[in-house]
Amino acid sequence: MTRENNPFTLAQTQFDQVAEQMHLDEAVRSILRWPLREFRFQLPVRMDDGTIKIFFGFRVQHNDARGPAKGGIRFAANETLDTVRALATWMTWKCAVADIPLGGAKGGVVVDPATLSIGEKERLCREWIDAAWKNLGPRNDVPAPDVGSTAQMMGWMMDEYSKLQGEYVPGVITGKPIGGGGSEGRTAATGFGVIVTIREALKHLGISPTGKTAAMQGFGNVAQYAALTFIEMLGGRVISVSCWDREDKVAYTYTREDGIDPRFLQSITDQYGTIDQEQARANGYQIENGEAWLGKDVDILVPAAIEGVITDYNVAQISPQVKILAEGANGPTTLEADELLKQRDIFVIPDFLCNAGGVTCSYFEQVQSDMNYYWEEEEVLTKLDQKMRNAFRAVLTMAMDRGLYMRDAAYWVAIARVERAMRLRGWI
Ligand code: GLU
């Protein structure tokens, strides 16, 4: 990883730029540039063949001034301390911009989960909790799923933590399965929230959503539900999704000009997000290279996979027709590409605003788990819609009042809220 594509350099530089604009106090800057606490553990796991394999895991707590630290755990082969630091930092801003009383954290395990059997995966999850549990808890730090982790994995982790505590503690982790302490709406929440922010952006731009087109990168949890909600809530048409092919080790773009069918594609996608090419082709999908989604003549682009994918090398491929870039992924746009986007007439919905629906629903899940009383899906989604709308409005108002780029406005709102909490607690 070079300085240029290190996501933590991106997170710190974005922060520094807005801290400068805000004339932020030196002590506040020093605290917020770095995580409060970082843990790195060895995770020895007995594999199915009887050998012991040592994995590496992380947990980074960036800030907990506004409440318990919160954020997912990624299982990814290229995970590093710096990717986890960046993602933990963005979680602080995400929870603050969504105005939920939580701080920011992130966890990671260096592994491609597709290489593990179910038993190995379960043992690795339990080992991660055994290593981290003393620093977790409903009032300390609450993990959740992210890239490479599933509801079932959260269920095992909650069980392991509860065993160590000697009591049932469902509020220690979110994104759990329904019936195992999970919340209705949690699986769809991030994608749903992405579309609420797009709906609000269209409203602001005076554009009717009906018949608008979108292309998305990724076909995991976020993109699948973003695509469904875009079609069902807004009456739009998604023409392309791009996703990683595990066997070929490259990404492909799947296109149908008359609109993809997310439910059909879901039915031919494996649990790691690889679409069955043969079945897609047989159903009229055109298959192109993995970057083709970015150059489509659509109204809305939704990167909803991983960080660092829109760069100064490919940003020029974005069609003049594109009006909105909605960042469903964390950190999809590099600093250089962001500068170029600012010069174009594209309305950017920045990542930690756009994809805050997942953690907002996680907060609802935690509240329900702590009460041991669960809400209907409609109640969850109504509350989620309202929270996302309020977050969007707060950022838009800041952007308009101060003439700021949307990303800078989101940072401004988030940093001011965290700074206030730190002051009220007497940290500074
Ligand atoms: N991993 C998700 C995110 O990046 C959700 C985090 C959570 O629910 O705590 O926002």
Side-chain angles (χ1 to χ4, degrees):
M1 194 188 312
T2 61
R3 216 189 105 74
E4 285 71 40
N5 64 13
N6 181 335
F8 190 50
T9 309
L10 172 63
Q12 286 190 315
T13 311
Q14 288 172 340
F15 169 76
D16 290 343
Q17 284 171 354
V18 181
E20 199 56 40
Q21 290 171 10
M22 292 173 78
H23 305 294
L24 202 65
D25 184 278
E26 236 359 276
V28 177
R29 280 191 213 201
S30 305
I31 294 176
L32 294 176
R33 283 195 93 239
W34 286 92
L36 292 178
R37 289 176 286 276
E38 302 182 340
F39 308 97
R40 176 179 171 281
F41 355 90
Q42 288 197 17
L43 305 168
V45 172
R46 186 164 302 277
M47 306 303 279
D48 290 350
D49 65 4
T51 59
I52 300 276
K53 192 165 173 185
I54 315 297
F55 295 91
F56 287 97
F58 309 101
R59 187 68 179 171
V60 172
Q61 296 167 351
H62 174 260
N63 192 276
D64 54 13
R66 286 173 45 86
K70 185 86 189 80
I73 309 171
R74 297 210 308 183
F75 284 63
N78 57 357
E79 202 64 276
T80 66
L81 183 55
D82 270 355
T83 52
V84 181
R85 283 172 168 161
L87 290 156
T89 310
W90 286 323
M91 285 310 300
T92 299
W93 312 137
K94 196 179 298 191
C95 293
V97 96
D99 206 12
I100 52 178
L102 298 169
K106 204 75 168 197
V109 180
V110 186
V111 65
D112 173 359
T115 61
L116 301 174
S117 71
I118 291 184
E120 289 165 347
K121 218 184 282 179
E122 176 173 352
R123 292 193 286 280
L124 181 54
C125 286
R126 291 187 183 275
E127 200 62 44
W128 193 93
I129 289 291
D130 293 347
W133 76 286
K134 285 223 161 83
N135 301 296
L136 305 177
R139 302 288 168 264
N140 296 332
D141 180 359
V142 184
D146 201 288
V147 171
S149 45
T150 61
Q152 173 61 77
M153 290 158 82
M154 300 302 111
W156 293 325
M157 288 177 150
M158 184 275 280
D159 181 70
E160 187 70 10
Y161 184 86
S162 296
K163 281 181 177 149
L164 290 163
Q165 285 288 353
E167 61 178 0
Y168 178 55
V169 195
V172 68
I173 204 157
T174 60
K176 302 181 293 296
I178 302 285
S183 171
E184 294 292 343
R186 177 63 186 86
T187 311
T190 312
F192 178 89
V194 167
I195 302 308
V196 172
T197 64
I198 291 175
R199 184 191 70 202
E200 296 302 307
L202 287 168
K203 214 182 286 172
H204 163 66
L205 297 171
I207 302 170
S208 154
T210 320
K212 291 294 166 297
T213 51
M216 302 190 174
Q217 185 194 33
F219 200 61
N221 175 262
V222 182
Q224 289 179 16
Y225 290 95
L228 269 174
T229 315
F230 186 67
I231 296 163
E232 287 170 6
M233 186 202 273
L234 299 188
R237 184 157 51 95
V238 179
I239 66 154
S240 294
V241 293
S242 157
C243 78
W244 185 250
D245 189 290
R246 217 154 33 83
E247 264 169 35
D248 295 358
K249 297 201 177 349
V250 286
Y252 296 108
T253 300
Y254 297 80
T255 301
R256 266 189 72 148
E257 290 294 337
D258 59 344
I260 64 142
D261 175 353
R263 285 189 210 280
F264 167 72
L265 285 182
Q266 261 176 338
S267 75
I268 60 163
T269 301
D270 74 10
Q271 56 168 318
Y272 302 105
T274 296
I275 293 176
D276 183 323
Q277 289 188 45
E278 227 166 87
Q279 293 202 56
R281 207 173 278 116
N283 280 274
Y285 286 82
Q286 184 194 346
I287 304 180
E288 301 162 275
N289 71 67
E291 261 198 12
W293 72 281
L294 190 66
K296 295 287 169 192
D297 289 323
V298 289
D299 304 297
I300 299 155
L301 287 176
V302 185
I306 51 164
E307 63 274 4
V309 293
I310 302 181
T311 66
D312 49 344
Y313 295 111
N314 62 20
V315 70
Q317 291 175 26
I318 296 179
S319 155
Q321 191 186 321
V322 172
K323 295 166 194 76
I324 295 175
L325 176 73
E327 295 181 336
N330 293 312
T333 306
T334 65
L335 280 172
E336 298 76 18
D338 212 23
E339 283 309 314
L340 296 167
L341 281 175
K342 282 180 197 169
Q343 294 159 22
R344 291 187 52 173
D345 195 18
I346 297 177
F347 187 87
V348 174
I349 310 173
D351 51 2
F352 64 82
L353 167 64
C354 189
N355 68 32
V359 73
T360 302
C361 195
S362 274
Y363 167 57
F364 297 154
E365 178 178 331
Q366 208 205 354
V367 170
Q368 295 170 79
S369 286
D370 283 347
M371 289 189 297
N372 213 6
Y373 170 72
Y374 290 85
W375 311 332
E376 302 289 327
E377 185 178 24
E378 201 188 321
E379 186 172 355
V380 175
L381 294 181
T382 305
K383 285 186 162 74
L384 182 57
D385 194 318
Q386 189 178 355
K387 274 282 186 200
M388 292 302 294
R389 209 164 52 222
N390 291 347
F392 184 89
R393 290 280 135 198
V395 173
L396 184 66
T397 305
M398 176 66 81
M400 308 244 285
D401 286 355
R402 294 186 183 267
L404 296 171
Y405 182 52
M406 276 294 277
R407 190 184 314 283
D408 295 348
Y411 264 100
W412 199 303
V413 169
I415 294 170
R417 287 178 180 165
V418 176
E419 181 192 14
R420 183 172 156 75
M422 295 203 300
R423 283 196 194 285
L424 291 171
R425 292 182 64 165
W427 290 10
I428 38 169

